Amino acid sequence: MAQRDEKVPAAAGDSEPGAGAGAGAGAGAGAGAGAAAEQGQSGVAAPFQPPEGGFGWVVVFAAAWCNGSIFGIHNSFGILYMMLQSDLGEGKEDPALEFKTAWVGSLAMGMIFFCSPIVSIFTDRIGCRTTAAMGATIAFIGLLSSSFTKSLEVRYFTYGILFGCGSSFAFQPSLVILGHYFKRRLGLANGIVAGGSCLISVPLPFFLKMVGDAIGLAHTFQVLSALMLIQIFLSMTYRPILTPSCDPQHDGRDKLGSRSMRQQCWAQTRKYFNLRVFRRKTYRIWAFGIATAVLGYLVPYMNLVKYVEKKFQETKKDWILLVCLGAMSGLGRLVSGRIGDCIPGLKKIYLQVASFMLLGLLCMMIPQCRGFEGVIVICLFLGLCDGLFTTIMAPIAFELVGPMQASQAIGYLMGLMAVPMTAGTPIAGYLNDYFGNYDAAFYFAGVPPIIGGLVLSVVPLVHQRMLKKQRLDSGKDKMLVSEAVVNGELLPGCPASEAHM
């Protein structure tokens, strides 16, 4: 039992976001931690029952504000992208201006994913509240300091690195904490977070367009920093209600005291960087497919506004494109969770396959539009595809590696997504500088999702072949039972060996 208690704190804090679905890992971790705590006091295991509301609704509001403000700013970068180029003034004649400017927003979005595995460790060690408040503070400093410079290189650091890194640290705990307050109504809580965040993210492009024209880029950054300032105080509501039955740090020091420094470092590294998920062939294929598909993911968000301005001379209603993307993405996130629940097992991946294939085709259709209205229609479906593939990510991870390792699987996946997602928009900017138009950039953005979708379509087939092969070996029957448990029946903090005892 001492071994199980030692694992509880790591599981309780170690969860990743999947646009709402990832919070299921946090919920499972919370249940495991609560059960262990009660067992330590009474000697009889009893499942933790979250309050299913109460102060939890305050936490839901704070999480909705966090999601809406952070991703509202990131997804509205198309407006800031144009303002950044105008703010450079003398740099307008630079032939590589599109390429250089794209790195600002691309770095920011990439840092959200790159920092994801590290954020899990901080959440585990210092808790949701401290991690989120620290992240919101860093994001606030990044946006505010971006207003005091006109240097593109400095903004690589202030907006790209600081704001992006702070966003990652503020975002993940906002979903993990939901598992402390909800279990039976966790889907409802995540739906409210997704829907509530749209109240901020959807009108934000219009707001940025209006404010930017009135007060300029520097003051616009200051206004945006106020959203992060509010988030600092809202993060204080992430009050954990799950407490372990023992002091894990004290127990850990006792066990590590007899080991050498090298052994202690290796033990701590293996504890927080668990690479066992990469031993699964299906996970490796899935992670490679997702990382490939997101290479052109940010290109529409970054370039659509500038594209319609140059091709259709539309400067007054260009913000509508980003509003359509945000609104339909929110709708897609609301409905995809329910759709995913109706699709059994790894067949959920086919929903991601369809989303990526359609997303790639839509990107390639943008240069074929002959009017501004056609681009609006494409943006509606682009946003829907975005919401569908994002939300279903965590449930697929649960099916691939099981709930015990789902958190690590999602964290490593998001880390792998960081490099292609960051590189995509600068490549599109380079193509625009080289060809003198955005057509090549949108064609480029459409290829990786199609390739990634084809790779993902192989995963269920490989999984079925592996299951059939394992069934031939009667000695692995018990392992098959534990791996086939559906999401929610085997919780983090409850080892597979004890699941059926």
Side-chain angles (χ1 to χ4, degrees):
M1 293 309 299
Q3 183 179 0
R4 180 178 177 182
D5 290 340
E6 182 182 352
K7 291 182 180 179
V8 167
D14 190 14
S15 179
E16 301 289 344
E38 191 166 343
Q39 180 179 355
Q41 295 174 0
S42 63
V44 179
F48 170 76
Q49 295 297 331
E52 302 293 351
F55 187 76
W57 296 119
V58 178
V59 177
V60 167
F61 170 77
W65 180 277
C66 177
N67 282 255
S69 58
I70 287 178
F71 287 101
I73 295 173
H74 283 283
N75 292 341
S76 300
F77 186 76
I79 303 293
L80 298 175
Y81 180 70
M82 296 176 57
M83 297 172 67
L84 281 168
Q85 294 189 37
S86 300
D87 195 56
L88 291 175
E90 68 279 359
K92 288 185 177 181
E93 301 302 325
D94 188 348
L97 182 62
E98 301 276 351
F99 174 77
K100 294 178 180 178
T101 309
W103 271 107
V104 179
S106 189
L107 278 173
M109 183 62 83
M111 287 302 295
I112 294 180
F113 295 89
F114 180 77
C115 294
S116 182
I118 303 174
V119 177
S120 296
I121 298 175
F122 274 83
T123 303
D124 170 52
R125 300 294 289 180
I126 63 179
C128 294
R129 179 161 49 185
T130 305
T131 302
M134 178 178 66
T137 302
I138 295 174
F140 166 75
I141 294 173
L143 287 174
L144 186 63
S145 57
S146 295
S147 67
F148 296 107
T149 181
K150 287 192 174 184
S151 170
L152 203 58
E153 290 74 16
V154 174
R155 282 173 174 157
Y156 289 157
F157 175 74
T158 57
Y159 186 93
I161 304 298
L162 286 183
F163 175 57
C165 182
S167 297
S168 183
F169 276 77
F171 168 65
Q172 283 188 248
S174 72
L175 295 181
V176 175
I177 194 62
L178 294 179
H180 288 242
Y181 290 89
F182 299 93
K183 182 179 180 181
R184 178 174 53 84
R185 305 170 76 177
L186 184 60
L188 174 62
N190 280 286
I192 294 175
V193 168
S197 65
C198 291
L199 298 178
I200 301 175
S201 60
V202 170
L204 193 58
F206 169 73
F207 174 77
L208 285 178
K209 182 71 173 179
M210 180 180 63
V211 171
D213 292 340
I215 63 178
L217 179 60
H219 294 298
T220 300
F221 277 127
Q222 294 172 7
V223 171
L224 292 177
S225 68
L227 298 178
M228 293 296 100
L229 181 62
I230 295 173
Q231 181 57 37
I232 296 175
F233 295 100
L234 291 178
S235 299
M236 300 301 175
T237 65
Y238 296 169
R239 183 182 63 195
I241 60 176
L242 305 175
T243 56
S245 59
C246 60
D247 183 0
Q249 295 181 359
H250 178 72
D251 292 347
R253 286 193 296 268
D254 290 342
K255 293 184 177 182
L256 292 175
S258 60
R259 302 181 184 180
S260 66
M261 181 63 67
R262 181 179 179 181
Q263 290 174 326
Q264 293 181 30
C265 293
W266 178 244
Q268 291 297 317
T269 300
R270 292 186 62 184
K271 180 179 179 181
Y272 295 110
F273 291 95
N274 179 9
L275 300 177
R276 285 182 297 175
V277 293
F278 287 102
R279 297 177 185 174
R280 297 178 181 267
K281 184 177 182 180
T282 49
Y283 176 78
R284 295 197 302 268
I285 298 174
W286 181 62
F288 174 77
I290 295 290
T292 302
V294 298
L295 180 59
Y297 172 76
L298 292 179
V299 173
Y301 286 99
M302 298 286 189
N303 297 293
L304 270 174
V305 174
K306 192 68 179 290
Y307 170 74
V308 298
E309 179 185 323
K310 292 180 66 174
K311 186 169 183 177
F312 304 114
Q313 287 74 48
E314 181 59 67
T315 59
K316 295 182 179 180
K317 298 181 180 180
D318 48 8
W319 54 270
I320 295 178
L321 301 177
L322 297 181
V323 171
C324 291
L325 283 171
M328 293 303 292
S329 178
L331 178 62
R333 296 182 187 205
L334 286 172
V335 302
S336 60
R338 179 59 180 168
I339 295 175
D341 290 338
C342 299
I343 302 176
L346 277 181
K347 292 182 179 180
K348 293 180 177 69
I349 286 185
Y350 291 125
L351 185 60
Q352 267 189 336
V353 171
S355 300
F356 280 130
M357 299 287 282
L358 182 58
L359 191 147
L361 292 175
L362 289 170
C363 285
M364 292 182 172
M365 289 174 61
I366 292 176
Q368 306 301 322
C369 293
R370 295 295 177 259
F372 179 66
E373 293 77 12
V375 181
I376 292 179
V377 174
I378 288 180
C379 285
L380 292 173
F381 287 98
L382 278 175
L384 186 63
C385 292
D386 168 72
L388 289 176
F389 97 81
T390 303
T391 305
I392 208 70
M393 196 175 297
I396 292 175
F398 271 69
E399 297 288 349
L400 283 172
V401 302
M404 288 295 293
Q405 301 183 61
S407 300
Q408 293 286 345
I410 301 170
Y412 290 129
L413 172 66
M414 297 181 75
L416 291 173
M417 291 167 61
V419 174
M421 188 170 284
T422 303
T425 48
I427 293 174
Y430 173 79
L431 292 174
N432 175 68
D433 291 332
Y434 185 83
F435 291 102
N437 58 65
Y438 287 94
D439 292 358
F442 287 118
Y443 288 132
F444 156 76
V447 174
I450 295 176
I451 296 176
L454 293 174
V455 173
L456 293 178
S457 65
V458 178
V459 176
L461 303 178
V462 174
H463 182 71
Q464 289 298 322
R465 181 187 301 175
M466 292 173 63
L467 288 180
K468 291 179 180 179
K469 183 178 180 180
Q470 287 179 343
R471 289 192 183 98
L472 298 178
D473 187 352
S474 59
K476 295 183 178 181
D477 287 343
K478 292 183 179 180
M479 182 178 67
L480 287 175
V481 171
S482 65
E483 290 184 354
V485 175
V486 297
N487 180 10
E489 294 184 8
L490 183 62
L491 300 174
C494 178
S497 60
E498 302 177 9
H500 302 286
M501 293 180 60

